[in-house]
Amino acid sequence: MNENIEGSTKEQSSIGRAGGSLVTQTADALRQAILSGEYKQGDKLPSEAGLTEMYKVSRTVVREAVAALRADKLVEARHGAGIFVLALPAQQAQPFQDVDHDRISSIIELLELRAAVETEAAELAAIRRSPAQEEAIMRCLSVVQDCIEKGQPTAEADFKLHLAIADATNNPRFREFLEVMGQNVIPRAALRASQSEKSAAAYLNQLQNEHETIVNAISDGDSSAAREAMRQHLKGSQQRYRAMLRHVER
């Protein structure tokens, strides 16, 4: 009798030490089975005894794992009938993931949004930048220039320049905003195969001149000039793409 009691106590102690991990593992396995379609909406899960045998865990672990799935609205208990799978929650679209970068109108939408955020970023960068952050901005500007001179794509370097300016605000949300939008926030649709090498170079040099104006204002600590330079940069891009849109519609 004492031996049985002792064995039961040891089992409970073992569950207490490892139960959290076992519960998580069991709940994750069941969750994956549901999400993968092994158990579909309306299906009844195996009995408690069946799950205990399936996952080689105690009834206590099974109960807690099922409770976790109930909390996640993946299953529900029906009195006297068992545990049933519910409809999977609808997946919400992630922001900016449905932007069509081949559509000029989508590019204009992004440019308008960037203008609302990045003009403020440039102004704050001029006020709050540290010497190291200013150096990082200058370095990114130089990398863009190198890409232009070597005839290499500039979008990645351009994006890093805007990230460096965002960092210089010392408000991490500005960088997060740009990272959520992704590198495609830097459009290059204006550089089409039909353009001559000369016109493409002129376009990139114009953008780089605008970058230099922004960076110089930030370096000078002129917040108003930095804000206006960024506004003009993004407004200019909007105007260029609007002109392209009018040309397409004709």
Side-chain angles (χ1 to χ4, degrees):
M1 179 69 175
N2 288 339
E3 183 178 348
N4 291 338
I5 294 174
E6 183 180 353
S8 175
T9 301
K10 286 182 178 178
E11 181 182 0
Q12 291 175 3
S13 176
S14 175
I15 292 172
R17 289 194 304 270
S21 176
L22 287 175
V23 169
T24 300
Q25 291 173 20
T26 305
D28 286 346
L30 276 170
R31 183 179 291 105
Q32 182 58 37
I34 293 171
L35 296 178
S36 68
E38 182 178 342
Y39 298 118
K40 298 179 174 60
Q41 179 184 356
D43 285 352
K44 179 182 177 180
L45 292 184
S47 66
E48 187 177 284
L51 292 173
T52 297
E53 176 63 26
M54 184 183 301
Y55 295 110
K56 307 302 181 186
V57 294
S58 69
R59 289 176 179 265
T60 301
V61 170
V62 167
R63 292 188 193 111
E64 292 185 19
V66 170
L69 297 186
R70 289 174 63 184
D72 290 342
K73 309 295 185 185
L74 291 176
V75 300
E76 69 174 2
R78 297 177 186 172
H79 184 66
I83 306 296
F84 291 82
V85 178
L86 297 174
L88 295 179
Q91 294 291 325
Q92 293 187 350
Q94 294 299 309
F96 305 112
Q97 299 307 302
D98 61 345
V99 175
D100 184 353
H101 295 280
D102 291 329
R103 292 177 58 238
I104 296 175
S105 58
S106 287
I107 294 173
I108 293 172
E109 291 170 354
L110 290 180
L111 287 169
E112 288 180 346
L113 183 58
R114 286 181 60 198
V117 175
E118 291 194 72
T119 53
E120 182 72 10
E123 180 176 6
L124 291 176
I127 298 170
R128 299 176 177 175
R129 76 207 181 285
S130 69
Q133 289 168 336
E134 183 176 344
E135 182 181 9
I137 292 172
M138 293 292 187
R139 186 164 55 249
C140 289
L141 180 68
S142 178
V143 171
V144 175
Q145 185 62 40
D146 286 344
C147 290
I148 293 174
E149 292 175 358
K150 294 176 182 178
Q152 298 174 345
T154 61
E156 181 179 356
D158 193 327
F159 185 56
K160 288 181 178 179
L161 172 60
H162 284 269
L163 285 176
I165 293 172
D167 287 338
T169 67
N170 287 295
N171 179 339
R173 306 309 175 196
F174 282 96
R175 170 179 269 271
E176 289 175 9
F177 170 80
L178 288 178
E179 288 180 334
V180 167
M181 296 181 78
Q183 184 177 315
N184 283 329
V185 75
I186 306 297
R188 287 292 182 267
L191 299 180
R192 295 182 169 178
S194 60
Q195 284 188 302
S196 67
E197 183 177 342
K198 182 177 179 180
S199 63
Y203 171 74
L204 290 175
N205 284 323
Q206 180 180 352
L207 292 181
Q208 185 66 348
N209 288 337
E210 293 170 4
H211 287 152
E212 289 178 357
T213 302
I214 296 167
V215 170
N216 288 338
I218 291 174
S219 181
D220 291 339
D222 191 334
S223 58
S224 297
R227 183 184 185 90
E228 180 60 20
M230 182 65 81
R231 190 185 74 82
Q232 290 295 336
H233 174 54
L234 296 175
K235 182 179 179 181
S237 292
Q238 288 181 46
Q239 291 172 339
R240 285 187 283 271
Y241 283 95
R242 289 186 190 281
M244 289 177 61
L245 186 61
R246 287 193 293 270
H247 179 75
V248 170
E249 290 177 346
R250 289 177 183 174

